[in-house]
Amino acid sequence: MRIVPWNTIRSWRCDACGICCKHYQVVLKFPEWLNIVKNFGVEYTAPSINQFLLRKKPDGSCVFLYKTANVSYCSLQNAKPQACKLWPFKVLDKPKYGRPNDAVYYYGNRNLFIYVDSACTGVRFGVPTQYFTYSVIPEFIEVALGVRQKQFKSTAIL
Ligand code: SF4
Ligand code: SF4
C-alpha cells in the first residue's frame, strides 16, 4: 500500500475490479452497522470486540460483493458504508501522509489534505485533469464531510 497525494494523480475511475472489496476489512459506523442488522440481519456483520465490521465470504470477499463475468458489483450501492464510498481516497484535516503541498486542496474556505491509496487499480498517475480536480475530488470531499450520499463521479460508471 502506498498513499500518495492527489496532485500526483492524473485521473481516477473505478473499473469495478472488486479488489478493494476482497482485500480490506470494512469498518462500519454504529448507525451503518445498525442499518445492516435491521435490513439484512446480524449475520451480515462480523463479530468483533471493539469495532463494527462487515462479514466476509469464505473467499475473503465482502458479503455484499457480486461478480458477473469480470465485473464486480456492490449490492448496497448508495447505501454503502462511508468507508466504501471514500475508498481509495482519504480526506483529512492534516497532511498525515506527507507532501503537504501536493496534498492540499482548498475547499469551502479551508484547506483539506487529500490522499489516494495507489493499490486501487483505477489510479492513473500524472498531471491532474480538470475533471479529476474539479469534479471527482469535490465529490469525495462531500461524501467525507457527510453532505452527500449519492455518488456519480466518485464511483464505478457501468
Ligand atoms: S475502487 Fe479501485 S480497487 Fe476498488 S473496485 Fe474500484 S478500481 Fe477496483
Ligand atoms: S459494501 Fe459494497 S463496496 Fe463495500 S466492501 Fe462490500 S461490496 Fe465492496
Side-chain angles (χ1 to χ4, degrees):
M1 173 176 77
R2 189 161 72 98
I3 309 293
V4 296
W6 75 271
N7 203 23
T8 61
I9 290 172
R10 176 166 60 83
S11 63
W12 171 88
R13 194 183 81 162
C14 177
D15 58 16
C17 71
I19 286 174
C20 56
C21 304
K22 187 164 182 179
H23 294 290
Y24 297 90
Q25 178 70 66
V26 177
V27 178
L28 303 166
K29 295 179 175 185
F30 177 67
E32 295 172 337
W33 178 86
L34 206 54
N35 248 344
I36 285 169
V37 169
K38 271 196 217 157
N39 291 317
F40 300 96
V42 74
E43 64 273 21
Y44 282 74
T45 64
S48 166
I49 295 169
N50 55 2
Q51 284 181 311
F52 299 103
L53 303 173
L54 275 186
R55 182 172 287 282
K56 284 175 165 263
K57 296 177 197 160
D59 70 354
S61 63
C62 172
V63 72
F64 290 110
L65 183 70
Y66 289 89
K67 231 174 170 173
T68 56
N70 286 326
V71 179
S72 298
Y73 297 94
C74 172
S75 56
L76 289 178
Q77 286 304 322
N78 282 320
K80 278 190 278 193
Q82 191 191 44
C84 301
K85 288 183 176 179
L86 285 175
W87 167 265
F89 286 71
K90 295 178 188 297
V91 178
L92 305 172
D93 288 328
K94 296 199 167 64
K96 181 176 174 183
Y97 298 97
R99 298 178 63 179
N101 292 342
D102 285 325
V104 70
Y105 191 99
Y106 188 67
Y107 182 90
N109 296 327
R110 63 170 162 154
N111 284 337
L112 293 169
F113 295 88
I114 316 294
Y115 294 90
V116 185
D117 191 322
S118 64
C120 170
T121 60
V123 171
R124 302 284 177 272
F125 287 96
V127 177
T129 64
Q130 297 272 310
Y131 179 73
F132 178 62
T133 305
Y134 298 113
S135 295
V136 176
I137 291 183
E139 196 170 288
F140 275 112
I141 290 173
E142 289 166 10
V143 170
L145 298 181
V147 297
R148 161 184 290 282
Q149 298 301 317
K150 289 198 172 181
Q151 297 178 284
F152 298 98
K153 299 163 177 123
S154 57
T155 189
I157 305 160
L158 297 169

